[in-house]
Structures are given as C-alpha cells and as structure tokens.
Amino acid sequence: MSGQRVGYVRASTVEQKTDRQLEGVELDRVFEDHVSGKDTNRPALQSLLEFVREGDLVLIHSMDRLARNLDDLRRLVRGMTDRKVQVRFVKENLLFTGDDSPMANLLLSLLGAVAEFERALIRERQREGIAVARGKGVYKGRTPALTADQQATLKARAGAGEARAALAREFGVGRSTLYKYLNAPEQIPK
C-alpha cells in the first residue's frame, strides 16, 4: 500500500471521548466528529471524503462510528472503495477493498443493520422517556424562542410589509423559526 493511513473517529456528543477508538493504531492523519451518526452530514466525515486518495487506507473503530444507517454505511464504503480507497473496521476486523467477497458484503449488511436497529431502539426509548416525563409534568419541552408579546409584534410588523430576513435578524431567530411563528394560528386569550 502506497497511500496514507487515515483514521476516522466519532462520538455523539462533545462530552464523549474518542481517544480509545483507534488507540495504538499508527495513523498519518485523523478526522474527528462529535455529532450523531444519524446521517452523513458531518464536517470531519466530509473532510475525510475530500481528503482520501487512491491507495489510502481509512481505519475506523467500528461500523457504527461511520454510520447508523445501513444505506449510508454501504454508500460510504462503496464510495471510498470505488475510488480505490481501502476501508478497515478495526473492531469487526473487516477490510473492504472493492474486490470484496460475498461474505464480507453480507457481514457489512448484517452488522450495519444491527447498528441501524440499535439507533431505532435508542430513539424509541427516548420518546418513551419523554412521554413518561410529560405525564409527570417534569418535561415541558423546549422554551419558546420568542415571548407572546414578541410574537405579536413580529406578526404585526411582517403584516405591515417589513422584510422577513431583517425581522429574523432583529429578533435573533432563524428564518424557519420566523415562519413557524408567522404561520401559527392566533392564540385566543382565556
């Protein structure tokens, strides 16, 4: 192999550590994300995909660090191997080169499906926990970005023709939040 040994590590939150993922593995460069693996919209992952070249070897601790979705996992691995970049999952001890055996592809699909299933279970438990907390009155949801007075002012000014982008900047909200408030039905006071 004539290319570089490139590592990719990921933790779901900034507080989580990634130092053990490729500990003791000799690498020329490491790309590190601290975001969910729910999709491939991750800055370090995108940088890695732009960086790697033919002959490089990408080392990843485990499949679920690369993707929590089977389609994303297969697309990422195939995309790299089509460019003659090898992909090795250290924990699973699997290497993908583009000339992979049917057994290697089966294992990729099976283990990727397990990671996707695990993510679905996490989300289900999260929803159940929120429902229980709401029932107990503990979970109130997210605090609104604007008070009721601010919302009324926003609607009135937008109705008078003021530019929505300027209003969003002034009120310190994103455009999607602005439109959510503008399109919300009127609250009838009790």
Side-chain angles (χ1 to χ4, degrees):
M1 188 184 84
S2 60
Q4 295 189 52
R5 295 170 58 89
V6 181
Y8 177 73
V9 294
R10 182 188 66 77
S12 297
T13 66
V14 176
E15 294 82 27
Q16 292 175 325
K17 304 279 187 231
T18 59
D19 52 351
R20 290 187 13 235
Q21 287 184 23
L22 291 174
E23 185 177 28
V25 177
E26 187 178 323
L27 299 167
D28 297 309
R29 179 132 184 216
V30 177
F31 292 85
E32 182 172 342
D33 271 319
H34 286 273
V35 294
S36 171
K38 68 180 179 177
D39 59 35
T40 60
N41 189 19
R42 294 174 253 153
L45 176 61
Q46 295 307 315
S47 295
L48 171 120
L49 294 173
E50 291 171 13
F51 176 81
V52 292
R53 302 286 180 261
E54 182 176 333
D56 287 349
L57 171 64
V58 175
L59 293 113
I60 305 155
H61 174 68
S62 64
M63 289 180 188
D64 68 339
R65 298 296 85 203
L66 182 60
R68 289 280 194 168
N69 173 297
L70 179 57
D71 294 334
D72 289 344
L73 177 66
R74 293 177 63 151
R75 187 170 49 286
L76 287 166
V77 171
R78 192 176 326 114
M80 286 187 274
T81 58
D82 285 351
R83 295 169 43 206
K84 307 288 187 234
V85 174
Q86 296 181 5
V87 179
R88 177 182 298 277
F89 296 103
V90 176
K91 183 178 176 184
E92 294 88 355
N93 195 26
L94 290 173
L95 175 68
F96 295 89
T97 63
D99 300 321
D100 305 310
S101 71
M103 181 58 78
N105 287 320
L106 174 65
L107 287 172
L108 179 71
S109 295
L110 285 173
L111 295 173
V114 168
E116 186 173 329
F117 176 68
E118 184 180 57
R119 172 154 171 72
L121 287 178
I122 290 168
R123 291 183 67 201
E124 182 179 9
R125 286 192 299 263
Q126 182 182 29
R127 281 191 301 272
E128 290 170 353
I130 289 171
V132 167
R134 274 196 177 124
K136 293 179 179 177
V138 176
Y139 183 85
K140 306 281 190 222
R142 188 173 178 183
T143 305
L146 301 177
T147 65
D149 289 341
Q150 289 174 316
Q151 292 175 42
T153 302
L154 176 71
K155 280 189 170 191
R157 289 175 61 185
E162 288 192 46
R164 283 159 167 60
L167 287 170
R169 280 191 298 275
E170 182 181 333
F171 282 86
V173 297
R175 290 186 64 152
S176 62
T177 302
L178 175 104
Y179 284 105
K180 180 185 86 169
Y181 285 125
L182 293 178
N183 295 326
E186 288 294 326
Q187 298 290 329
I188 300 171
K190 293 182 181 182

